[in-house]
Amino acid sequence: DEEMNVSVHYIAKHDKVLFIAFIMSEYYIEKHIITDLDNLPLDPYEYSKFKHWSWKIAQKYGEETALIFLEKMPQSITPQFVVLPSPQTYLPTASTALMNAFIMRIQKELWTNSIRSEKIKRNKSHLEDYWSMNEEQRAQLLWSDNFVLNPEVIDPDETIISIDDIKITGTHEKMIRQIIHNTHLQNDVIYTTYATLWSTDIHPRFEAYINDYAINTLHDLQSILSDPNDHFILNTRVTKFILKQPINHFTVFIENQSSNFCKKLLEWA
C-alpha cells in the first residue's frame, strides 16, 4: 500500500519485518548505544540504583532521554503524543519512573500538555530471572503472558512513544509491535530507549549484571532508602528482591522501615 510509510531506519535494522500492515511509520531513538563492555556509555552502579527505584537517577535518565528525543524527533510526526511504558501488573516498573520524568521534561521544553501516558496491562509478574535469559527464552516467557491495551484510549492523531530504559534483545519491542497489530492501530510509533545493546557478541545476561551491580543485599538497598537527597518508591523489582531474602535478613530490614513502607510492601506482596 503506497500509504504505508515504513522508515528506512526500520528496514535497515530489522531483517524480518512483521505485522507492519497496521503501522504507518516506525522510528528509533536512543540516548546511548552499547557495543563494548569495556567502554560502557552509562555507569552500571548508577543504572543499578535506578532499577531499584532511585527517583533521582530516574529523573536524570528521563530528562536525558527527553532531550535526545526532541533532538532526533522526526519533523513529519504529529506533535501530540501518548507514551507507553513497559507492561505492568498492579506494580509499577523502573521504566514508569523514567517515563514520568520524560513526560515532564517534554512538557517543559515544548510548553505543551499534548503528551500523556497509557498503560499496557499484563496478567502476571514473572518470578523467573528474565534478565539472565537469552532472546529465545525471553520470547517464550513473554508470549506466555497476556497483554492488554485498550485501542479506544488512543487517539488516531496521536504519535505513540514506546519507552523503555534499555533494549537488549528487542523482545519487548516485538511484543509492543504485536500489541499494536492486534489492536489495529495505525498511529506512528517511536521506539525510545535510554540505552540500546547493539553488539551480538555480548550475551543478554549482561542486563542482569548491570541490574544488580550496586544492589546485592538489603543493606545495599537501604542506602537508597536512607539517602536524604533521593526519593524511593517501591517497584516490581524491589518488591520481589525484598521478599526473596532469607527470613533473618528480611526481619532485620523490615524492623527498620516505616509503617507506611510495610503496609505498601504487604499490599503488593
Side-chain angles (χ1 to χ4, degrees):
D1 192 321
E2 293 181 356
E3 293 183 359
M4 298 302 171
N5 177 27
V6 182
S7 69
V8 174
H9 191 51
Y10 169 79
I11 295 173
K13 291 179 66 176
H14 296 270
D15 295 330
K16 296 181 180 179
V17 181
L18 301 175
F19 312 129
I20 65 173
F22 299 102
I23 297 177
M24 297 300 289
S25 298
E26 288 187 338
Y27 305 91
Y28 297 82
I29 297 175
E30 56 265 305
K31 170 63 178 176
H32 297 298
I33 294 173
I34 301 171
T35 58
D36 183 358
L37 291 181
D38 294 327
N39 294 285
L40 290 176
L42 52 81
D43 180 353
Y45 181 82
E46 186 179 69
Y47 181 82
S48 180
K49 292 184 70 174
F50 155 73
K51 294 297 282 189
H52 290 83
W53 206 275
S54 163
W55 167 247
K56 180 171 61 176
I57 300 172
Q59 186 175 30
K60 173 188 174 184
Y61 285 3
E63 291 187 352
E64 289 180 354
T65 305
L67 292 177
I68 198 69
F69 176 87
L70 292 173
E71 178 183 327
K72 296 185 176 182
M73 180 179 68
Q75 298 300 311
S76 60
I77 60 98
T78 303
Q80 183 176 347
F81 307 108
V82 56
V83 188
L84 303 178
S86 297
Q88 64 183 69
T89 55
Y90 177 68
L91 283 69
T93 63
S95 68
T96 305
L98 183 150
M99 177 198 69
N100 290 337
F102 174 89
I103 289 175
M104 287 189 288
R105 189 56 188 255
I106 294 291
Q107 290 174 331
K108 178 180 178 181
E109 294 294 326
L110 296 183
W111 289 76
T112 180
N113 288 321
S114 298
I115 180 169
R116 62 187 187 86
S117 65
E118 286 292 344
K119 291 181 180 179
I120 298 178
K121 298 178 181 179
R122 65 189 306 175
N123 279 355
K124 54 188 175 182
S125 181
H126 298 284
L127 295 176
E128 294 88 344
D129 192 358
Y130 176 87
W131 304 275
S132 63
M133 295 179 178
N134 60 32
E135 183 174 359
E136 182 180 354
Q137 292 169 325
R138 291 177 182 221
Q140 290 176 349
L141 186 63
L142 278 183
W143 297 128
S144 69
D145 204 341
N146 184 42
F147 303 94
V148 178
L149 172 64
N150 181 2
E152 295 183 2
V153 302
I154 308 295
D155 190 286
D157 294 328
E158 289 180 309
T159 297
I160 296 173
I161 301 173
S162 173
I163 194 166
D164 206 358
D165 52 276
I166 196 165
K167 174 182 173 181
I168 299 295
T169 65
T171 305
H172 168 261
E173 180 183 294
K174 293 173 185 176
M175 179 266 297
I176 296 293
R177 188 175 294 113
Q178 176 72 75
I179 293 170
I180 293 173
H181 165 73
N182 290 345
T183 52
H184 304 285
L185 293 170
Q186 298 186 43
N187 305 61
D188 290 344
V189 184
I190 305 177
Y191 293 96
T192 306
T193 55
Y194 183 70
T196 298
L197 176 64
W198 272 19
S199 174
T200 56
D201 295 329
I202 301 175
H203 193 280
R205 73 171 64 95
F206 158 75
E207 187 176 8
Y209 165 75
I210 57 173
N211 281 348
D212 301 330
Y213 190 90
I215 310 296
N216 290 288
T217 67
L218 289 174
H219 178 75
D220 297 332
L221 183 62
Q222 187 64 44
S223 67
I224 302 179
L225 282 164
S226 303
D227 187 345
N229 298 315
D230 208 343
H231 177 59
F232 176 87
I233 304 175
L234 278 172
N235 66 6
T236 306
R237 174 182 301 278
V238 174
T239 301
K240 291 178 181 178
F241 178 75
I242 293 172
L243 296 178
K244 288 195 300 183
Q245 299 303 309
I247 187 61
N248 55 327
H249 294 175
F250 173 82
T251 301
V252 173
F253 172 80
I254 210 68
E255 286 177 348
N256 288 288
Q257 307 311 317
S258 67
S259 59
N260 286 337
F261 181 96
C262 295
K263 288 177 181 178
K264 181 61 70 174
L265 181 64
L266 180 61
E267 180 184 350
W268 287 6

